[in-house]
C-alpha cells in the first residue's frame, strides 16, 4: 500500500514532469504527496569551501523562493483534493532526497531524469542514479527528453 509519495522538485519543468504520475498514484491510493525542494547554493558549485564554512549571502533569499515555489505547487495539487506536505532542505541533493525519504517513511519516490548516458552521464553525474542505488523504497523514474539509443530499444 502506498501512503506517502516523495517528489523531489528543483523548480524546473523537467522535475515537474513527475507530478502527473505522483498525482495519479496519490489519487488511486489516497496517498499523501510530499514535495521536497533541496536548496543548493550557487556557491556550492563554484566555492564549496565557503559553503562548508557557512558563507552564503543569498541563502535566506534562496530558501524564501523555495518555500514560495513549494506552496504554489502544493496549492495546485490540493485544489485537486490531494493531501500535500512540503519540505525544504539543503545539502547535497541525492543525500537530501534519501534522508527525507527515510524521515518521511516514504513508500515511493517519483522523480524525473534526463536519461543521459555515456560520457554526459559521467561528466554531469546523475542524482537519479545515486538515489536509485541507495534508496530503500521503490522509485519511479520518469525519463524526460533525450533520445533513446538503438541499443536500448
Amino acid at each position: 500500500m502506498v501512503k506517502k509519495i516523495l517528489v523531489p522538485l528543483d523548480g524546473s519543468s523537467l522535475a515537474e514532469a513527475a507530478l502527473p504520475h505522483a498525482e495519479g498514484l496519490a489519487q488511486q491510493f489516497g496517498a499523501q504527496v510530499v514535495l521536497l525542494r533541496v536548496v543548493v547554493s550557487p556557491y556550492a558549485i563554484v566555492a564549496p569551501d565557503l559553503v562548508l564554512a557557512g558563507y552564503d549571502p543569498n541563502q535566506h533569499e534562496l530558501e524564501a523562493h523555495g518555500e514560495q515555489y513549494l506552496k504554489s505547487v502544493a496549492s495546485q495539487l490540493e485544489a485537486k483534493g490531494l493531501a500535500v506536505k512540503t519540505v525544504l532542505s539543503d545539502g547535497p541533493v541525492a543525500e537530501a532526497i534519501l534522508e527525507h525519504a527515510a524521515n518521511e517513511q516514504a513508500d515511493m519516490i517519483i522523480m524525473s531524469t534526463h536519461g543521459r548516458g555515456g560520457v554526459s552521464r559521467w561528466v554531469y553525474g546523475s542524482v537519479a542514479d545515486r538515489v536509485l542505488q541507495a534508496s530503500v523504497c521503490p522509485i519511479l523514474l520518469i525519463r524526460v527528453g533525450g533520445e533513446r539509443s538503438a541499443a536500448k530499444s
Side-chain angles (χ1 to χ4, degrees):
M1 181 95 169
V2 178
K3 295 179 183 175
K4 280 191 182 182
I5 301 170
L6 179 67
V7 182
L9 297 173
D10 63 6
S12 70
S13 58
L14 172 85
E16 290 175 4
L19 288 170
H21 302 277
E23 179 184 329
L25 285 171
Q27 287 174 340
Q28 181 177 353
F29 292 107
Q32 179 185 47
V33 177
V34 179
L35 301 175
L36 172 65
R37 171 88 160 124
V38 181
V39 176
V40 179
S41 166
Y43 289 101
I45 298 165
V46 296
D49 292 337
L50 291 176
V51 173
L52 291 175
Y55 177 76
D56 185 350
N58 299 318
Q59 188 67 25
H60 295 297
E61 193 173 307
L62 292 170
E63 290 172 358
H65 183 266
E67 287 282 355
Q68 183 179 9
Y69 169 71
L70 286 174
K71 285 180 184 177
S72 172
V73 175
S75 68
Q76 294 171 22
L77 294 175
E78 289 167 341
K80 297 176 182 181
L82 297 176
V84 182
K85 178 180 179 181
T86 62
V87 179
L88 189 70
S89 181
D90 62 0
V93 177
E95 289 78 2
I97 293 169
L98 292 165
E99 178 182 325
H100 286 284
N103 290 346
E104 294 290 334
Q105 298 179 332
D107 298 299
M108 175 180 277
I109 300 171
I110 300 179
M111 60 190 295
S112 300
T113 180
H114 280 95
R116 289 187 182 111
V119 175
S120 67
R121 179 185 227 162
W122 178 75
V123 171
Y124 295 112
S126 171
V127 169
D129 254 359
R130 292 192 297 270
V131 171
L132 186 61
Q133 291 174 12
S135 179
V136 295
C137 68
I139 300 172
L140 175 60
L141 288 178
I142 308 303
R143 185 175 177 168
V144 180
E147 295 181 23
R148 297 187 72 167
S149 68
K152 293 183 181 179
S153 297

